[in-house]
Amino acid sequence: MESFLIKGGRPLCGEVTISGSKNAALPILAATLLTQEPCVIRRVPDLSDTRFMVQILQSLGATAKLENGTLTVCARKIKGFADYDLVRKMRGSICIAGPLLARLQRARISLPGGCIIGARPINLHLKGFQALGAKIKIEGGYVEAVTKKLRGATIFLGGRAGPTVLGTANVMMAATLAKGVTVIESAACEPEVVDLAKFLNAMGARIEGAGSPTITITGVSKLHGAEHEVIPDRIEAATFMIAAAATNGEVIIKGARADHLRAVIDKLNEARVTVETRGETLVVRRRGKLKAVDITTLPHSGFPTDVQAQMMALLLLAPGISIITERIFESRFMHVSELARLGADIEIEGPSAIVKGGKALSGAPVMASDLRASAALVIAGLAAKGTTQVNRIYHLDRGYEQMDAKLRKLGAHIRRIQEK
Ligand code: EPU
């Protein structure tokens, strides 16, 4: 296994270009299963998760090639049974279910388990498929959805923590080929859902309202091939913005969409970090001493759960008390005990972490537990005095394209080594 070895204390300075969004690319790749015709998807980030999705498409019978960020895929003839182990390994692969059900009237995939950040059920995905007329069976670790013909319906998809991102994507994809009109109420409003809808409409789907809580899909009989460019990764952009602030540097972030990052920019401003917007370029720098701020993660357009851990790393450096409340996932504080190894003073009280900031951080060996927790450890390591070794960075490689190379270009001392 590989680790990052970071010598902290150097301000990040220079330019970084943001890659395509992982969480937009995964459902868009799955959506290519909806047509027999070829599709071309650009700005696909080269990550273990996207390579994994390409393998899943291939295992279903599609031809797919990912080269220099462009995926060329053709799902002329496909089967409805996905390989058990392939799907089980990546939760995001659940979004092949909607396209398979719509195209073949049948989908059988391994039931994705929980993961370190929470239970991660799929009841809302299944509720949506059932409302469209699918029969669901769970057996032997598989979930099977079968239908004679999907029919449009009005579906309320809100759950205990609000809307579901991949659930909305899945039901929206299934509904594109259903007979009649589907209305998804309490739909997720994330930019990744909007990007998927844009691609589906380019394929001939009739979707309105994506980006709002009510999405209307008028079913069509067939979708055709299309080309699409994936939106920039707002979570990667936020991670670099926070790293710039944490190291007291000045970073020019190219290819980022400020309109996707309003809540993050607002909180950074409140913490005394300036974010200047010049088109698709953001310039980030600190205005003197950081200020403690309170954060609550919420569905879009609220503060994203995927930036909670990174923001916690930043707030360790802000004198005073910051309260971070996690409202989307029930156990997304795995980074807290690892940050403590660097000298962080954080207490967990139910869904909130009470961060007593302003104490000096010093390097230590730490272990990454999930994707965004890894990013938080890297940020804390960059800000800490001395050397930090972040172990198990395969978590980070799932969602950040060449993070070490990008950070090195900004002046960070960071090396990839074999874990000892
Ligand atoms: N939920 C249910 N039932 C469901 C589905 C979800 O109760 O059927 C609950 C979840 O347990 C959670 C909440 O609803 O409490 C929101 O989960 P959501 O379904 O929105 O999460 P997701 O679609 O599975 C995507 C991203 C996550 C990101 C969340 C929230 C992808 C591949 N994953 O997951 O990204 O945290 O939305 O924004 O798009 C990451 O990139 O690090 C990551 C975990």
Side-chain angles (χ1 to χ4, degrees):
M1 274 190 281
E2 291 182 322
S3 308
F4 279 167
L5 202 62
I6 302 167
K7 273 196 200 143
R10 285 172 70 99
L12 297 184
C13 287
E15 270 183 27
V16 62
T17 301
I18 298 309
S19 301
S21 158
K22 166 183 84 84
N23 290 348
L26 292 176
I28 287 172
L29 263 52
T32 64
L33 294 169
L34 284 162
T35 176
Q36 294 189 324
E37 296 180 16
C39 293
V40 178
I41 317 292
R42 287 185 240 284
R43 193 153 57 186
V44 176
D46 188 7
L47 304 167
S48 48
D49 269 13
T50 48
R51 272 182 257 133
F52 213 64
M53 185 56 103
V54 170
Q55 268 185 48
I56 292 174
L57 299 180
Q58 288 166 335
S59 79
L60 292 167
T63 55
K65 199 169 79 180
L66 179 58
E67 226 171 33
N68 301 323
T70 298
L71 177 81
T72 318
V73 55
C74 184
R76 195 170 308 284
K77 229 178 140 200
I78 51 164
K79 56 176 186 174
F81 297 169
D83 180 85
Y84 189 90
D85 283 323
L86 266 182
V87 171
R88 195 178 49 88
K89 277 192 207 151
M90 183 178 68
R91 239 206 86 86
S93 56
I94 182 68
C95 57
I96 63 172
L100 289 179
L101 183 60
R103 170 112 177 248
L104 306 172
Q105 286 74 53
R106 178 176 204 145
R108 185 168 185 250
I109 63 170
S110 54
L111 203 59
C115 73
I116 194 94
I117 63 175
R120 309 198 73 181
I122 58 161
N123 58 310
L124 297 171
H125 301 235
L126 302 183
K127 177 184 172 186
F129 296 154
Q130 267 167 333
L132 293 175
K135 290 215 159 48
I136 308 287
K137 198 165 79 186
I138 294 174
E139 207 173 60
Y142 284 95
V143 54
E144 187 165 24
V146 187
T147 181
K148 281 206 179 80
K149 175 81 193 142
L150 294 179
R151 283 178 195 281
T154 295
I155 308 162
F156 179 80
L157 264 197
R160 118 192 104 69
T164 158
V165 178
L166 288 177
T168 301
N170 237 341
V171 176
M172 188 164 80
M173 290 190 281
T176 55
L177 295 177
K179 192 171 164 46
V181 177
T182 298
V183 180
I184 305 177
E185 302 277 16
S186 194
C189 301
E190 269 68 4
E192 292 75 17
V193 172
V194 179
D195 205 34
L196 172 65
K198 192 173 164 204
F199 174 55
L200 291 168
N201 282 342
M203 295 172 83
R206 290 177 58 198
I207 301 172
E208 279 169 34
S212 81
T214 305
I215 302 181
T216 307
I217 306 124
T218 306
V220 296
S221 59
K222 219 173 153 187
L223 294 179
H224 53 74
E227 295 198 10
H228 183 75
E229 184 174 82
V230 175
I231 51 168
D233 196 312
R234 64 191 167 105
I235 309 300
E236 189 199 14
T239 303
F240 277 98
M241 288 160 80
I242 292 170
T247 59
N248 204 2
E250 177 163 338
V251 177
I252 300 168
I253 300 182
K254 304 201 99 163
R257 296 264 307 257
D259 57 328
H260 293 168
L261 284 158
R262 294 280 178 235
V264 174
I265 293 174
D266 187 60
K267 279 295 162 188
L268 284 173
N269 288 163
E270 202 183 320
R272 297 208 187 104
V273 179
T274 301
V275 181
E276 212 181 290
T277 308
R278 301 178 194 153
E280 290 206 351
T281 297
L282 305 177
V283 185
V284 184
R285 72 179 85 81
R286 224 148 99 169
R287 287 194 313 272
K289 230 186 183 119
L290 290 167
K291 184 174 164 277
V293 296
D294 295 341
I295 285 167
T296 300
T297 66
L298 289 168
H300 195 72
S301 56
F303 194 91
T305 172
D306 290 346
V307 186
Q308 178 255 108
Q310 303 89 313
M311 200 65 179
M312 189 183 291
L314 177 69
L315 292 173
L316 291 175
L317 309 167
I321 291 183
S322 299
I323 300 177
I324 301 180
T325 305
E326 173 57 56
R327 290 268 176 237
I328 307 295
F329 291 109
E330 66 267 33
S331 58
R332 205 171 197 181
F333 281 140
M334 298 303 289
H335 39 286
V336 168
S337 52
E338 294 304 299
L339 288 170
R341 292 181 200 273
L342 302 178
D345 187 350
I346 307 168
E347 244 174 79
I348 299 187
E349 289 230 358
S352 298
I354 298 153
V355 179
K356 294 171 200 154
K359 305 197 169 123
L361 300 181
S362 64
V366 289
M367 179 125 71
S369 56
D370 73 83
L371 172 56
R372 308 304 172 187
S374 321
L377 295 175
V378 170
I379 291 169
L382 290 168
K385 251 205 173 113
T387 304
T388 296
Q389 179 165 338
V390 185
N391 292 323
R392 302 207 177 166
I393 50 151
Y394 62 86
H395 289 294
L396 199 116
D397 291 333
R398 287 187 41 212
Y400 288 94
E401 194 176 46
Q402 296 189 24
M403 185 189 242
D404 43 341
K406 288 185 180 184
L407 285 171
R408 257 196 309 278
K409 223 182 125 221
L410 294 173
H413 268 301
I414 179 166
R415 269 194 309 133
R416 189 178 279 261
I417 58 165
Q418 278 304 317
E419 202 167 301
K420 284 191 266 289

